[in-house]
């Protein structure tokens, strides 16, 4: 609704321009940034949490902000401005448009999101795989060239027929070497592992939107978390109840952390026959209250109305009533029917008729409701409001038994003392009062045009002030309580070397109080170095900002940090500096204002329940339950996935190094080619695939969250890992070539093949020059016309033995890869049953090509006998023993390193 040419008209929001006069009412979405001109109700409240992160709707005022030299007003402090995309939760007003489109605060956020998207970097995994790929390509190129060059003298062997054919033969060996060295299945296995990781995370309420972020979570070093809804329940609760008793205000703790009316007041003994004051307090909480409790389709309690009012109504439902049958049916029950959602409120409302509502106003800071009590035939005024204002309008105080006495200066000091204690705990306080005398025949009527729906109390003499001479009944402290499961999760982060930083739009006192309850900040001592408002942090010099965050990171195992009253630019600034310090930052957010920081962070985490679509689109991961503990679970899963990824990289690379060693030894020794390129491709793509994928199902190590996160610059493969790959690979190469040579030289098998000397095998290329060289016919092949064919066409059995040893060793290597340094005695094969199934599938695939004639011909293999299989096992099993020795050395080295670090610490 805009005022143009003296007339009010409805236009499209996109047609609004600066200077337009707007009228907005409850339920409207504000179309542009606009300055409040005139209130049409006593108050107007705006829901702007998606823009600022504030947990409460905000009252807007007409008064202009004072001019203070050098001060820049943050969004939360602009109490006279309506912001585009926010909604009116209560009241109505006129406002003049001051900014539209990209000039609005929401437009600035859109610009920041776009810019942050342009600056996106590769994830640590992508960087490491690129580095690894480049290194691997260079090494393979050098080795292939070296193999080809060192066989130069064999180009001239008569067996090849010509130098060109000899050159091509050894070029094929170099190609086979390249095939052996390149882990062709690695990209597919990594993608599969990450995809399996997303499924595991989804089970733990973390929905991954971008696949590489699964692994990035594992190296997260700092979690920047929003407060409202993530660390807290986003459901206001009464946590303190203060009642006048024995000359002082006695405070009681109230259990519970959400809108479910379950939670006792442990220290309060309730006897409804004697607790008259508690009955009155319950009536005030119920009758001076416009909120409602509902039960949704999932049988969960939800509010309808203001959060603070809903908190007081939940308190009423927790206290119960004198009706024992009703108490038995509903009191402290987690599940209630829809009709019983407000069972105790309905009990207190019996016989009561609402006459009028005196709305909350800025000057009174209270609201009151006039009810007619049919049981007494008189009017009763129930009121609640800011204690410092409501107490001034009270002249009496109610004691536990219902007796009333004068509200003396002593009582006022006791109330003030209790108020200070609650304020120090960052509680939002609300005083409760009642009045039943001198209300006479009060009626109510609708207000003027400027205040439609505002009900004014009046009698025959005109307007009167009824909120005076009231009786003070008690006081409540309200808080958006921390989630009970978050404190142990934050402690788990600290043990895991992950810093937790709370970044919130709420005020500094509330943020610090909540963070102390959660264990982010120490419960006592100064927090001048790790608690800042957004403005305070922005005002620091660039070097000082970096120094502050560096010190916070250095103290991550002691406490975290808090940034309050933040704007979107502050969140981006914090993330930018953290990334410059080589920290891997995870940032949570739910509002539109969080989108730029979510985009810029290494891991952007949006809320699934309370999150806006804008935040979800900018994020890498969405929390289905909006719970901080799900982030910690996702980090644990990410670390496990990375370990599993290292396991199958370790498995595949050590196997490929073994293949390279086999080809290299073949070429270096000059023995016939034992493995063909097609056989190597079969091993790399088919046989290796299932075990490598199955390693992605490895259970997490028991101490996965007791280790510090890896650094961004940590190598994917350490120097010690390369040593292990070389040692294991060298044995694989020796075993593959060794069994090939054994068959020719020493294997006196029943098949009747001819044994040759070592010298003959190493110089087989010159066999045409040997005099008197004869070979027995075997396996359906005749060598009488060409004995040299024994080393080419007759090598099928030896080649099959080499291929089979390679396959079996790689299956045993897969079991070795279950744990980086843990013995198979500590983590046996059945710790991952999927690996046993995968190994069975791979061995089964190998049996298929061995014993199906058509496939055996394609792959150049022959069936193996029981004697052959025993030979294969003898050459394969030592790889287990070798890796166990290497693991033992790794464990000893790690233990020594840890002892040195502990000593230094």
């Amino acid at each position: 609704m805009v005022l143009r040419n003296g007339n009010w008209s409805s236009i499209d929001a996109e047609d609004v321009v600066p200077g337009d006069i707007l009228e907005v009412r409850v339920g409207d979405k504000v179309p542009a940034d606009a300055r409040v001109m005139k209130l049409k109700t006593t108050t107007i409240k705006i829901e702007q949490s998606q823009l600022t992160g504030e947990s409460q709707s905000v009252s807007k005022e007409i008064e202009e902000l004072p001019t203070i030299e050098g001060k820049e007003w943050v969004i939360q402090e602009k109490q006279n401005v309506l912001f585009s995309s926010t909604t009116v939760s209560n009241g109505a007003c006129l406002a003049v448009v001051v900014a539209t489109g990209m000039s609005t605060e929401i437009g600035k956020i859109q610009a920041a999101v776009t810019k942050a998207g342009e600056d996106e970097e590769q994830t640590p995994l992508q960087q490491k795989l690129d580095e690894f790929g480049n290194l691997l390509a260079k090494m393979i190129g050098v080795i292939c060239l070296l193999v080809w060059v060192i066989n130069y003298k064999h180009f001239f062997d008569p067996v090849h027929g010509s130098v060109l054919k000899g050159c091509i033969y050894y070029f094929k060996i170099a190609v086979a070497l390249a095939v052996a060295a390149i882990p062709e299945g690695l990209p597919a296995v990594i993608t599969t592992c990450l995809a399996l990781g997303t499924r595991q995370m989804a089970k733990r309420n973390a929905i991954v939107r971008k696949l590489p972020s699964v692994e990035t979570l594992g190296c997260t070093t700092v979690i920047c978390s929003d407060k409202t809804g993530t660390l807290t329940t986003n459901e206001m609760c009464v946590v303190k109840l203060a009642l006048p008793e024995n000359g002082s205000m006695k405070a009681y703790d109230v259990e519970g952390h959400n809108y479910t009316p379950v939670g006792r007041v442990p220290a309060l003994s309730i006897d409804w026959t004697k607790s008259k004051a508690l009955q009155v307090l319950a009536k005030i909480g119920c009758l001076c209250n416009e909120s409602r409790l509902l039960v949704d389709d999932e049988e969960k309690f939800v509010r309808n109305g203001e959060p603070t009012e809903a908190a007081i109504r939940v308190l009423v439902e927790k206290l119960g009533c004198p009706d024992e049958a009703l108490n038995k049916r509903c009191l402290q029950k987690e599940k209630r029917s829809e009709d019983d959602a407000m069972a105790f409120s309905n009990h207190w409302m019996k016989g009561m008729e609402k006459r009028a509502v005196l709305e909350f106003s800025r000057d009174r800071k209270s609201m009151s409701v006039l009810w007619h009590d049919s049981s007494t035939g008189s009017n009763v005024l129930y009121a609640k409001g800011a204690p410092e204002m409501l107490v001034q309008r009270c002249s009496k105080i109610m004691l536990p038994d219902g007796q009333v006495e004068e509200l003396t200066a002593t009582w006022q000091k006791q109330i003030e003392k209790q108020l200070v204690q609650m304020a120090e705990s960052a509680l939002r306080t609300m005083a409760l009062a009642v009045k039943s005398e001198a209300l006479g025949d009060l009626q109510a009527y609708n207000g003027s045009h400027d205040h439609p729906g505002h009900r004014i109390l009046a009698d025959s003499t005109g307007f009167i002030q009824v909120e005076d001479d009231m009786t003070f009944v008690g006081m409540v402290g309200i808080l958006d309580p921390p989630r009970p499961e978050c404190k142990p999760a934050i402690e788990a982060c600290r043990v895991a070397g992950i810093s937790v930083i709370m970044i919130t739009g709420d005020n500094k006192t509330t943020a610090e109080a909540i963070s102390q309850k959660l264990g982010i900040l120490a419960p006592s001592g100064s927090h001048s170095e790790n608690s800042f408002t957004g403005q305070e942090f922005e005002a620091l010099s660039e070097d000082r900002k970096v120094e502050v965050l560096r010190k916070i990171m250095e103290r991550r195992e002691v406490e975290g940090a808090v940034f309050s009253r933040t704007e979107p630019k502050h969140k981006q600034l914090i993330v930018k500096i953290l990334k410059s310090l080589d920290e891997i930052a995870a940032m949570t957010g739910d509002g539109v204002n969080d989108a730029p920081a979510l985009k810029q962070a290494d891991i952007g985490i949006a809320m699934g329940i309370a999150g806006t679509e804008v935040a979800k689109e900018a994020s890498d991961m969405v929390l289905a339950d909006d719970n901080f503990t799900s982030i910690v679970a996702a980090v644990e899963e990410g670390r496990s996935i990375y370990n599993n990824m290292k396991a199958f990289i370790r498995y595949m690379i050590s196997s490929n190094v073994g293949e390279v060693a086999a080809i290299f030894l073949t070429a270096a020794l000059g023995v016939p080619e034992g493995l063909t390129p097609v056989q190597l491709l079969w091993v790399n793509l088919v046989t290796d695939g299932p075990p490598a994928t199955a390693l992605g199902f490895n259970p997490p190590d028991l101490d996965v969250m007791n280790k510090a996160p890896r650094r961004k610059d940590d190598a994917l493969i350490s120097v010690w890992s390369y040593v292990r790959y070389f040692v294991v690979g060298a044995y694989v190469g020796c075993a593959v070539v060794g069994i090939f040579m054994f068959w020719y030289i020493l294997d006196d098998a029943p098949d009747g093949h001819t044994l040759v000397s070592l010298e003959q095998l190493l110089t087989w290329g010159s066999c045409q020059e040997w005099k008197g060289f004869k070979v027995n016919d075997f396996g359906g092949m005749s060598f009488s016309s060409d004995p040299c064919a024994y080393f080419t066409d007759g090598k099928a059995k030896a080649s099959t033995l080499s291929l089979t040893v390679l396959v079996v060793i790689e299956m045993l290597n897969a079991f070795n890869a279950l744990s980086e340094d843990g013995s198979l005695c500590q983590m046996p094969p059945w710790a991952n049953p999927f690996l046993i199934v995968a190994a069975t599938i791979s061995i089964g695939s190998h049996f298929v090509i061995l014993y199906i004639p058509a496939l055996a011909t394609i792959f150049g293999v022959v069936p193996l006998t029981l004697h052959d299989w025993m030979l294969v096992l003898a050459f394969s099993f030592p790889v287990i023993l070798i890796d166990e020795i290497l693991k033992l050395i790794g464990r000893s080295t790690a233990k020594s390193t840890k002892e040195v670090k502990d000593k230094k610490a």
Side-chain angles (χ1 to χ4, degrees):
M1 291 295 294
V2 298
L3 181 63
R4 290 182 176 175
N5 300 322
N7 298 312
W8 288 99
S9 59
S10 176
I11 65 171
D12 288 340
E14 64 183 24
D15 295 329
V16 172
V17 297
D20 272 337
I21 306 297
L22 301 175
E23 180 184 31
V24 291
R25 293 179 174 275
V26 60
D28 288 349
K29 178 173 279 191
V30 180
D33 286 2
R35 167 79 157 78
V36 179
M37 295 170 56
K38 183 180 181 181
L39 295 182
K40 300 195 74 177
T41 54
T42 52
T43 59
I44 181 168
K45 289 191 173 184
I46 305 295
E47 173 56 55
Q48 59 183 41
S49 61
Q50 63 168 349
L51 193 64
T52 63
E54 294 165 294
S55 55
Q56 298 288 321
S57 53
V58 179
S59 295
K60 295 295 181 179
E61 303 173 358
I62 299 173
E63 290 77 13
E64 65 178 277
L65 299 175
T67 302
I68 302 174
E69 187 177 352
K71 179 173 175 61
E72 182 182 345
W73 298 95
V74 298
I75 295 174
Q76 294 94 325
E77 294 173 329
K78 296 176 182 178
Q79 295 294 329
N80 56 0
V81 179
L82 310 179
F83 297 107
S84 176
S85 83
T86 60
T87 53
V88 183
S89 61
N90 187 35
C93 76
L94 301 182
V96 59
V97 176
V98 295
T100 59
M102 295 299 286
S103 299
T104 62
E105 293 294 339
I106 201 81
K108 293 174 185 175
I109 291 173
Q110 167 60 24
V113 171
T114 304
K115 187 175 186 305
E118 294 171 355
D119 300 334
E120 268 192 293
E121 300 176 354
Q122 284 186 311
T123 66
L125 177 64
Q126 291 168 328
Q127 293 172 10
K128 294 292 182 295
L129 288 176
D130 281 352
E131 292 168 7
F132 177 66
N134 291 333
L135 177 64
L136 195 62
K138 292 172 183 175
M139 289 175 62
I140 290 169
V142 170
I143 293 172
C144 289
L145 183 62
L146 185 63
V147 166
W148 194 62
V149 169
I150 64 174
N151 281 285
Y152 173 76
K153 65 180 189 298
H154 294 297
F155 292 177
F156 303 95
D157 286 346
V159 72
H160 302 305
S162 70
V163 175
L164 179 62
K165 288 182 178 179
C167 177
I168 292 172
Y169 177 81
Y170 283 101
F171 179 75
K172 284 168 62 180
I173 289 181
V175 170
L177 185 71
V179 170
I182 297 171
E184 294 88 352
L186 186 60
V189 173
I190 286 177
T191 304
T192 304
C193 183
L194 292 175
L196 291 171
T198 64
R199 191 177 70 169
Q200 290 298 108
M201 287 186 175
K203 290 179 181 177
R204 303 180 81 168
N205 295 312
I207 300 165
V208 177
R209 296 185 67 251
K210 297 177 183 177
L211 206 57
S213 60
V214 173
E215 178 275 336
T216 310
L217 273 166
C219 55
T220 298
T221 59
V222 54
I223 300 174
C224 301
S225 177
D226 191 21
K227 175 182 74 71
T228 307
T230 309
L231 294 170
T232 64
T233 61
N234 197 22
E235 297 184 7
M236 302 296 282
C237 279
V238 174
V239 295
K240 285 282 185 184
L241 172 62
L243 300 172
E245 197 173 308
N246 299 325
S248 65
M249 294 295 295
K250 185 171 181 181
Y252 298 93
D253 290 325
V254 182
E255 296 174 344
H257 56 272
N258 53 28
Y259 293 133
T260 302
V262 175
R264 304 181 184 277
V265 188
L268 182 63
S269 177
I270 301 176
D271 181 352
W272 288 109
T273 59
K274 298 177 181 178
S275 304
K276 302 296 183 183
L278 202 58
Q279 291 188 30
V280 175
L281 182 137
K283 284 188 175 182
I284 300 170
C286 160
L287 301 173
C288 185
N289 198 323
E290 297 296 296
S291 70
R292 295 185 63 79
L293 277 183
L294 306 170
V295 177
D296 64 12
D297 295 337
E298 298 176 356
E299 297 187 346
K300 181 183 176 183
F301 284 86
V302 294
R303 67 171 170 87
N304 184 345
E306 284 291 315
T308 49
E309 291 199 323
I312 296 173
R313 187 170 294 282
V314 171
L315 174 65
V316 174
E317 296 298 316
K318 288 177 180 177
L319 292 174
C321 70
D323 187 337
E324 288 301 325
L326 186 58
N327 287 341
K328 188 175 182 180
R329 188 172 85 240
C330 298
L331 187 60
Q332 303 297 324
K333 303 292 184 184
E334 286 192 17
K335 303 289 184 183
R336 292 192 197 176
S337 66
E338 192 173 342
D339 293 337
D340 282 338
M342 299 198 307
F344 299 108
S345 295
N346 293 335
H347 170 84
W348 297 116
M349 289 172 67
K350 287 178 182 177
M352 305 296 289
E353 179 188 348
K354 186 188 288 187
R355 289 288 176 87
V357 177
L358 210 58
E359 293 178 354
F360 178 90
S361 66
R362 295 187 307 278
D363 54 346
R364 292 169 29 251
K365 290 188 178 178
S366 65
M367 78 165 285
S368 54
V369 184
L370 182 71
W371 289 80
H372 180 73
D373 189 345
S374 60
S375 64
T376 61
S378 60
N379 290 332
V380 184
L381 186 77
Y382 298 105
K384 70 173 186 290
E388 64 274 16
M389 298 294 288
L390 202 64
V391 168
Q392 293 176 14
R393 299 198 292 277
C394 290
S395 59
K396 297 179 285 293
I397 188 167
M398 185 174 290
L399 302 178
D401 59 0
Q403 296 294 314
V404 173
E405 65 178 53
E406 183 183 353
L407 184 63
T408 61
T410 303
W411 273 117
Q412 288 184 347
K413 286 181 180 179
Q414 289 295 324
I415 294 170
E416 185 179 343
K417 180 181 176 182
Q418 185 59 52
L419 178 61
V420 170
Q421 290 176 358
M422 287 187 176
E424 287 174 349
S425 300
L427 302 183
R428 182 173 183 179
T429 51
M430 198 75 73
L432 308 176
V434 65
K435 180 178 180 179
S436 55
E437 301 89 2
L439 292 174
D441 187 23
L442 286 177
Q443 299 296 327
Y445 71 95
N446 288 330
S448 64
H449 172 72
D450 288 341
H451 297 81
H454 181 198
R455 308 194 76 190
I456 309 293
L457 291 175
D459 61 6
S460 57
T461 62
F463 304 135
I464 67 166
Q465 171 58 264
V466 294
E467 284 185 344
D468 63 357
D469 199 27
M470 294 187 291
T471 301
F472 180 87
V473 178
M475 190 162 57
V476 293
I478 302 172
L479 182 71
D480 178 9
R483 291 179 181 267
E485 65 272 20
C486 281
K487 188 170 183 178
I490 289 168
E491 180 57 32
C493 285
R494 188 164 291 129
V495 172
I498 301 170
S499 181
V500 179
I501 298 177
M502 178 195 288
I503 303 180
T504 178
D506 248 335
N507 65 71
K508 192 172 185 177
T509 305
T510 301
E512 287 184 353
I514 294 293
S515 65
Q516 286 174 324
K517 290 176 183 289
L518 287 166
I520 296 174
L521 294 184
S524 60
S526 171
H527 301 301
S528 59
E529 289 296 309
N530 58 352
S531 178
F532 299 85
T533 65
Q535 275 192 320
E536 288 171 352
F537 186 70
E538 189 180 14
L540 300 175
S541 67
E542 291 301 316
D543 290 343
R544 176 68 178 139
K545 289 185 186 118
V546 173
E547 184 62 23
V548 164
L549 285 173
R550 180 181 286 112
K551 285 184 177 178
I552 289 170
M553 292 300 102
E554 288 172 355
R555 288 175 52 81
R556 72 181 78 208
E557 294 181 8
V558 180
E559 60 180 340
V562 172
F563 291 90
S564 51
R565 284 297 185 197
T566 55
E567 291 189 66
K569 60 182 180 182
H570 300 138
K571 294 185 177 184
Q572 279 188 282
L573 179 62
I574 292 166
V575 169
K576 184 178 179 181
I577 295 173
L578 286 171
K579 292 178 77 172
S580 74
L581 294 171
D582 286 334
E583 302 289 342
I584 304 296
M587 169 69 76
T588 71
D590 55 3
V592 175
N593 62 320
D594 297 319
L598 291 175
K599 197 78 174 175
Q600 191 172 43
D602 294 292
I603 294 289
I605 304 171
M607 302 297 110
I609 300 173
T612 59
E613 290 304 314
V614 175
K616 291 175 187 176
E617 283 298 315
S619 69
D620 302 292
M621 190 176 86
V622 178
L623 296 184
D625 59 352
D626 291 9
N627 198 328
F628 181 84
T629 56
S630 296
I631 303 175
V632 181
V635 169
E636 181 181 355
E637 197 66 42
R639 289 189 176 189
S640 177
I641 287 167
Y642 183 76
N643 288 343
N644 291 348
M645 206 174 296
K646 284 179 67 177
F648 64 66
I649 289 175
R650 183 167 63 248
Y651 160 65
M652 296 188 84
I653 298 302
S654 62
S655 299
N656 283 39
V657 168
E659 294 170 20
V660 169
I663 302 296
F664 189 83
L665 279 173
T666 299
L669 294 173
V671 298
E673 178 189 13
L675 298 171
T676 63
V678 69
Q679 290 172 344
L680 291 169
L681 272 175
W682 168 260
V683 171
N684 286 356
L685 289 176
V686 181
T687 312
D688 283 358
T693 305
L695 286 169
F697 289 97
N698 276 358
D701 292 341
L702 297 176
D703 61 345
V704 71
M705 288 298 280
N706 293 335
K707 299 176 181 176
R710 68 185 187 280
R711 301 295 302 173
K712 193 185 251 184
D713 54 358
D714 283 355
L716 182 65
I717 301 172
S718 65
V719 175
W720 171 240
S721 296
Y722 278 117
V723 171
R724 285 178 61 174
Y725 295 160
F726 177 78
V727 172
V728 173
Y731 175 75
V732 174
C734 290
V736 170
V737 176
I739 198 169
F740 185 90
M741 296 175 69
F742 181 88
W743 185 84
Y744 270 104
I745 300 170
L746 299 170
D747 186 19
D748 190 14
D751 60 4
H753 71 276
T754 303
L755 300 180
V756 298
S757 68
L758 176 61
E759 182 182 358
Q760 287 177 315
L761 186 61
L762 296 179
T763 58
W764 71 276
S766 305
C767 70
Q768 290 180 346
E769 301 173 358
W770 299 344
K771 294 179 180 180
F773 179 63
K774 294 181 180 180
V775 179
N776 300 330
D777 296 336
F778 78 99
M781 290 184 288
S782 174
F783 301 101
S784 56
S785 60
D786 183 12
C788 290
Y790 183 50
F791 297 106
T792 53
D793 299 337
K795 68 177 181 181
K797 173 60 77 74
S799 179
T800 303
L801 288 170
S802 287
L803 178 63
T804 305
V805 164
L806 181 62
V807 169
V808 173
I809 282 183
E810 293 195 0
M811 295 307 103
L812 297 176
N813 244 343
F815 293 119
N816 283 335
L818 274 168
S819 177
E820 185 169 7
D821 287 321
S823 168
L824 277 173
C825 298
Q826 296 171 316
M827 188 173 281
W830 51 87
N832 183 351
F834 295 102
L835 185 57
I836 296 175
V837 173
T840 304
I841 292 171
S842 292
I843 293 293
S845 301
H846 189 65
F847 268 77
V848 168
I849 68 167
L850 288 182
Y851 297 104
I852 294 179
L855 292 175
T857 302
I858 292 172
F859 286 97
V861 295
V862 295
L864 297 181
T865 64
L866 179 61
H867 168 81
D868 297 329
W869 278 108
M870 297 304 292
L871 197 61
V872 166
L873 290 176
F875 273 84
S876 302
F877 189 76
V879 77
I880 294 281
L881 304 177
I882 291 170
D883 206 57
E884 284 293 309
I885 294 169
L886 293 172
K887 285 181 178 181
L888 178 62
I889 295 170
R891 287 197 300 272
S892 301
T893 305
K895 185 178 179 182
S896 301
T897 305
K898 186 177 184 300
E899 287 174 354
V900 170
K901 286 183 177 179
D902 290 345
K903 191 174 181 181
K904 286 182 178 179

